[in-house]
């Protein structure tokens, strides 16, 4: 059986320190904000898996359609011997690319969740005994060092997750990705596309209320980890489209004037009635905008594929 390596590049206490820093900064800012990465404890990850199956939430299905249709083309263009996936999670969608890459030697999934990496990694080495899997427990937004593996390398960042980064964060991220790549390597990037406002908002505010529960889970995480006393039923889930910035925002709106205490930080946070806490930005993209952002980071868009309804796009940039 092929080797499965799991390497931790994050200190054991890094997650707790990052949560404390983000909560302190976000809840004392005006307006108040929290990063979306704190949705994803075990319960949040389960809720997100449910979201991907909802009729209103099209991105997962649309991206999967492209991967099924184009995996062999991606393999032919890149000839990758190493596949690096950022934010790999269960590695489910990536299987289409892995199967098409007949010369693939090493798969490097990168995620902050050790359990997700271990589960997906062990499953892969059972299915593909010839494939080496070197999983990295790492935060790819904070700088990343890749293991020494055969080239050419294909770095995949799927799911439209890049849309959760603000424009300046995207620029820094793409620049850091370019620094990891050598001539002959490639970036496969998933981006959700600008479309009708109604379709976009419904994708983040489903009729069954699963996304609302997912959004409120960030409060449950802070309650558990930092001893806070957020009352989840004292906040409403809000999703709206910002046409100027071309992104969807998820927010939590306080139903009444209230004080939330966070004992681990010695913090008491005042919320006015109707005040909103932003928990996620999900930018939507146009082809020319993606091309320009890639070019600013030193990457050249070489291929652009969409699903049959042109809701989602995968772009491939090959380093010359």
């Amino acid at each position: 059986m092929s080797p499965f390596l799991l390497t931790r590049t994050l200190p054991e206490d890094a997650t707790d320190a990052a949560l404390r820093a983000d909560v302190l900064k976000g809840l004392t800012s005006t307006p108040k904000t929290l990063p979306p990465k704190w949705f994803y404890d075990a319960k949040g990850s389960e809720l997100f898996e449910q979201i991907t199956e909802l009729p209103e939430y099209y991105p997962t299905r649309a991206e999967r359609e492209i991967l099924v249709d184009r995996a062999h083309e991606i393999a032919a263009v890149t000839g990758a011997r190493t596949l690096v996936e950022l934010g790999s999670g269960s590695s489910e969608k990536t299987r289409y690319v892995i199967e098409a890459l007949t010369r693939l030697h090493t798969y490097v999934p990168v995620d902050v969740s050790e359990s997700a990496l271990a589960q997906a990694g062990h499953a892969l080495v059972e299915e593909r005994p010839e494939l080496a899997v070197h999983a990295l427990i790492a935060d790819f937004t904070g700088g990343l060092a890749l293991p020494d593996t055969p080239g050419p390398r294909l770095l995949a960042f799927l799911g439209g997750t890049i849309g959760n980064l603000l424009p300046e964060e995207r620029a820094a991220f793409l620049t850091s990705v370019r620094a990891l790549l050598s001539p002959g390597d490639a970036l496969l990037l998933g981006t959700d596309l600008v479309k009708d406002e109604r379709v976009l908002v419904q994708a983040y505010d489903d009729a069954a209320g699963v996304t609302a529960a997912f959004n409120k889970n960030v409060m449950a995480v802070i309650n558990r980890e930092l001893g806070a006393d957020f009352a989840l039923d004292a906040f409403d889930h809000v999703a709206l489209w910002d046409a100027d910035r071309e992104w969807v925002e998820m927010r939590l709106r306080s139903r009444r004037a209230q004080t939330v205490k966070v004992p681990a930080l010695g913090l008491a946070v005042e919320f006015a009635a109707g005040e909103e806490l932003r928990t996620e930005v999900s930018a939507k993209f146009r082809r020319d905008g993606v091309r320009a952002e890639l070019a600013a980071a030193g990457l050249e868009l070489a291929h652009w594929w969409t699903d049959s309804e042109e809701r989602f796009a995968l772009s491939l940039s090959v380093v010359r």
Side-chain angles (χ1 to χ4, degrees):
M1 183 173 291
S2 62
F4 172 60
L5 297 176
L6 185 63
T7 301
R8 174 180 289 277
T9 64
L10 282 175
E12 290 284 354
D13 62 350
T15 300
D16 179 65
L19 175 64
R20 287 169 176 264
D22 286 344
V23 171
L24 179 60
K25 179 181 178 182
L27 294 187
T28 57
S29 297
T30 304
K32 297 179 176 69
T33 64
L34 287 170
K37 64 183 178 182
W38 301 117
F39 292 136
Y40 296 95
D41 63 351
K43 181 180 179 182
S45 296
E46 180 183 335
L47 286 168
F48 184 71
E49 288 302 314
Q50 293 177 32
I51 288 170
T52 65
E53 301 298 324
L54 293 170
E56 297 97 331
Y57 194 80
Y58 61 85
T60 302
R61 291 189 297 275
E63 186 177 48
R64 184 182 294 116
E65 178 190 322
I66 305 168
L67 287 168
V68 169
D69 289 346
R70 301 293 185 173
H72 288 283
E73 191 173 346
I74 293 166
V77 170
T78 63
R81 300 201 65 217
T82 295
L83 172 62
V84 180
E85 184 180 9
L86 305 182
S88 55
S90 66
S91 302
E92 180 187 352
K93 286 182 295 186
T94 326
R95 303 293 181 93
Y96 302 110
V97 180
I98 291 173
E99 290 172 8
L101 289 168
T102 56
R103 298 178 62 241
L104 188 64
H105 178 278
T106 306
Y107 173 53
V108 183
V110 182
D111 205 285
V112 294
S113 172
E114 181 174 354
S115 60
L117 287 169
Q119 184 175 350
H122 287 300
L124 265 173
V125 295
E126 287 185 12
E127 295 170 16
R128 291 278 299 267
E130 78 287 358
L131 183 66
V133 178
H134 189 157
L136 297 181
I137 305 169
D139 181 356
F140 56 79
T141 62
L144 184 65
L146 295 177
D148 186 16
T149 57
R153 291 176 298 177
L154 171 61
L155 192 149
F157 190 37
L158 304 177
T161 307
I162 194 168
N164 294 147
L165 303 177
L166 297 174
E168 61 273 17
E169 294 170 336
R170 291 201 302 269
F173 168 75
L174 289 171
T175 298
S176 70
V177 165
R178 173 62 185 87
L180 294 171
L181 302 177
S182 302
D185 294 345
L187 168 66
L188 182 66
L189 181 65
T191 48
D192 196 8
L193 302 179
V194 174
K195 57 185 68 65
D196 180 76
E197 176 180 350
R198 181 184 58 83
V199 173
L200 286 166
V201 171
Q202 285 182 350
Y204 293 83
D205 193 13
D206 60 278
V210 182
T211 312
F214 176 68
N215 193 9
K216 291 185 177 187
N217 190 60
V218 73
M219 296 186 289
V221 169
I222 297 171
N223 285 352
R224 183 184 66 244
E225 299 299 329
L226 301 180
D229 62 355
F230 276 103
L232 274 62
D233 60 359
F235 290 83
D236 289 321
H237 166 68
V238 177
L240 56 86
W241 170 243
D242 185 324
D244 292 331
R245 295 187 174 99
E246 294 192 326
W247 68 39
V248 175
E249 286 193 15
M250 289 209 311
R251 302 176 181 177
L252 293 166
R253 179 182 294 154
S254 181
R255 291 183 175 180
R256 51 179 169 78
Q258 56 182 306
T259 303
V260 175
K261 296 183 178 65
V262 190
L265 301 177
L267 196 62
V269 185
E270 301 293 335
F271 283 88
E275 184 177 356
E276 294 177 340
L277 164 66
R278 189 180 75 192
T279 53
E280 181 176 88
V281 162
S282 185
K284 308 305 170 186
F285 296 89
R286 302 176 189 270
R287 181 173 183 167
D288 287 346
V290 174
R291 184 190 302 277
E293 291 195 35
L294 289 167
L299 293 160
E300 181 183 353
L301 192 154
H303 297 271
W304 176 268
W305 302 290
T306 68
D307 65 292
S308 56
E309 297 181 42
E310 298 188 343
R311 299 165 296 178
F312 198 94
L314 285 182
S315 60
L316 188 72
S317 305
V318 179
V319 178
R320 303 301 179 188

